[in-house]
Amino acid sequence: MFVIFGAAGHVGRVSAAALRRAGRPVRAVVRNADQGEFLAKIGCEIALADLLDAATVARAIEGAHAVQLLCPVPHADTDPAQAMRRMIDATVAALRADPPPRLLALSDYGAEHPTGTGITTLFHELETQLRSVDSQSTFLRAAEHMHNWARVLPIALAKGVLPSLHHPLSKRFPSVAAQDVGALAAELLLDDRAQRVSPRIVSIESDERVSTLEVARTIGDLAGRAVAAREVPRGEWAAMLAGAGLGESYARLITDLYDAHNAGRIDVEADVSERRFGATTLAEVLAAILPHAAAVTATAR
């Protein structure tokens, strides 16, 4: 049995579908039954679990040959960092008690740093705790997801301005499509060769790095209108994130992350990682999410 946590997300559903196409049994772990509709249609067994509840995690991994773990940052919580740490504690406790033969954890570029990287620091903590689980482990570290631009696409379409925390606008940074992460995760789970080292650290980013200037130009080309990139001054970050509805604690995790990005600390750990590259382009990802952003923009008018 292949157990996929976060199976309803952009990465997890791709992994689940790939494993089902390979003829493998999949238990798709979701938070509520409604999220499992598509997964049940492709032949997945559906399990409900709360990562804050070790007992539900234990039930979800029972009999697993391999587990794909996603531990999300609970951004709606008043203290997302502490909430995620509780998730990590509960989940790792269940995995230690019943370790699957194979374990793949979805992680982030920069997770090798113990401090100073905001959200990514939490993935360092996840990786650190998972090293105590008696499984053949793989940490799949992904670059920034291209889909994250969906958050500001309505602004770009409505105002012709793309705000960015990446400084300077010409800086090229690694990013990746979620579907490429999901496909690689499934490929790694299906690789039954004995690992020489555990954890195995694998990185994935797109074939080409991009800059915010290129992102704005691509949005403009797809939307048929001029879109200019705007470097949001560091002093305006907190107000902008608060205006977007983010709580103070979550906003601080984001500002710390982009401070680390702009200092060059969020990148592949080149001497440690096996490097993989996704073939999906930024234009393909943006073209897929543009219609929804355009609908949001039209509704807001």
Side-chain angles (χ1 to χ4, degrees):
M1 179 64 71
F2 288 73
V3 177
I4 309 296
F5 283 85
H10 297 297
V11 173
R13 66 165 48 203
V14 172
S15 299
L19 291 167
R20 289 297 300 135
R21 286 194 300 271
R24 305 304 169 86
V26 173
R27 181 179 299 145
V29 185
V30 294
R31 290 190 303 275
N32 60 70
D34 290 343
Q35 293 178 320
E37 185 176 347
F38 163 79
L39 297 156
K41 286 180 180 177
I42 63 172
C44 296
E45 174 188 323
I46 306 301
L48 304 184
D50 179 352
L51 293 184
L52 289 168
D53 184 346
T56 65
V57 176
R59 287 194 293 271
I61 65 173
E62 186 175 353
H65 164 71
V67 171
Q68 179 171 311
L69 178 63
L70 169 66
C71 194
V73 181
H75 55 82
D77 196 278
T78 55
D79 191 341
Q82 284 305 316
M84 183 165 167
R85 290 186 180 105
R86 292 196 301 272
M87 286 183 181
I88 293 170
D89 289 344
T91 303
V92 172
L95 289 165
R96 284 178 184 149
D98 184 15
R102 302 183 66 81
L103 171 64
L104 182 144
L106 298 168
S107 187
D108 274 6
Y109 270 31
E112 69 273 16
H113 299 299
T115 59
T117 59
I119 290 172
T120 300
T121 301
L122 300 171
F123 288 94
H124 173 84
E125 296 177 21
L126 173 65
E127 288 189 8
T128 299
Q129 288 217 42
L130 287 176
R131 290 173 187 269
S132 66
V133 176
D134 188 19
S135 300
Q136 282 196 8
S137 297
T138 299
F139 299 157
L140 178 52
R141 293 179 182 169
E144 178 178 312
H145 282 203
M146 295 172 182
H147 195 273
N148 290 351
W149 290 105
R151 301 167 185 165
V152 291
L153 263 181
I155 297 173
L157 296 177
K159 299 182 178 180
V161 175
L162 180 70
S164 176
L165 305 186
H166 281 290
H167 294 181
L169 297 175
S170 59
K171 179 191 71 176
R172 298 176 69 83
F173 54 88
S175 62
V176 70
Q179 59 260 42
D180 289 342
V181 180
L184 177 57
E187 176 188 326
L188 294 171
L189 287 174
L190 290 168
D191 182 358
D192 279 329
R193 293 174 296 178
Q195 291 182 196
R196 289 176 295 176
V197 296
S198 183
R200 176 185 184 186
I201 298 176
V202 182
S203 68
I204 181 169
E205 62 180 87
S206 176
D207 282 334
E208 294 187 6
R209 295 191 169 194
V210 297
S211 69
T212 306
L213 292 172
E214 292 167 320
V215 176
R217 185 161 54 248
T218 302
I219 294 170
D221 290 344
L222 291 169
R225 64 159 300 171
V227 175
R230 175 180 178 259
E231 184 178 292
V232 180
R234 179 62 178 81
E236 296 179 12
W237 288 10
M240 184 191 79
L241 294 170
L246 276 61
E248 182 179 350
S249 296
Y250 187 51
R252 190 178 308 114
L253 290 174
I254 291 177
T255 57
D256 288 349
L257 171 62
Y258 278 92
D259 280 338
H261 251 301
N262 295 336
R265 298 186 68 212
I266 305 296
D267 211 321
V268 64
E269 191 179 12
D271 295 336
V272 174
S273 298
E274 299 175 36
R275 299 194 68 181
R276 304 292 183 89
F277 298 90
T280 306
T281 66
L282 175 69
E284 290 170 330
V285 171
L286 292 176
I289 61 180
L290 199 65
H292 175 72
V296 170
T297 303
T299 302
R301 286 174 180 165

